[in-house]
Amino acid sequence: MKRFTCDELVGLITAHLDDALDPAEREGVHAHLACCQGCSRYFEQFRATIVVLGDPPPEKLPADVRDRLMSAFRERRRS
């Protein structure tokens, strides 16, 4: 099992919540959270923030920007 410092753990929070860690990393995160009250609190706050904010709707491009992009794609396809 990998042991993580608090700084390393902070960098892994998003990957952990996205279920993107390998089993050894996931186990290391769980072990660290079990014995580090500060990181455990940070993790819970991070998770609560995600629950409150949810998935934001996708941003819509302004029409003029979309038109310029589409023109650029068409030009590139022709060349």
Side-chain angles (χ1 to χ4, degrees):
M1 168 181 57
K2 170 91 169 108
R3 296 227 178 244
F4 296 109
T5 65
C6 295
D7 286 339
E8 290 171 325
L9 186 107
V10 167
L12 294 171
I13 293 291
T14 302
H16 177 70
L17 292 170
D18 287 341
D19 201 25
L21 297 178
D22 66 42
E25 290 172 319
R26 184 176 264 318
E27 185 179 330
V29 167
H30 287 198
H32 186 98
L33 292 174
C35 67
C36 181
Q37 185 179 13
C39 286
S40 181
R41 188 171 38 251
Y42 176 78
F43 177 75
E44 290 306 320
Q45 289 172 345
F46 199 94
R47 186 176 11 207
T49 300
I50 291 170
V51 168
V52 169
L53 295 178
D55 285 332
E59 290 186 38
K60 294 195 180 209
L61 290 175
D64 64 321
V65 173
R66 184 185 179 286
D67 291 344
R68 284 185 306 194
L69 281 171
M70 294 306 290
S71 291
F73 291 142
R74 283 191 283 277
E75 284 297 317
R76 182 165 173 103
R77 182 183 268 175
R78 284 185 228 161
S79 53

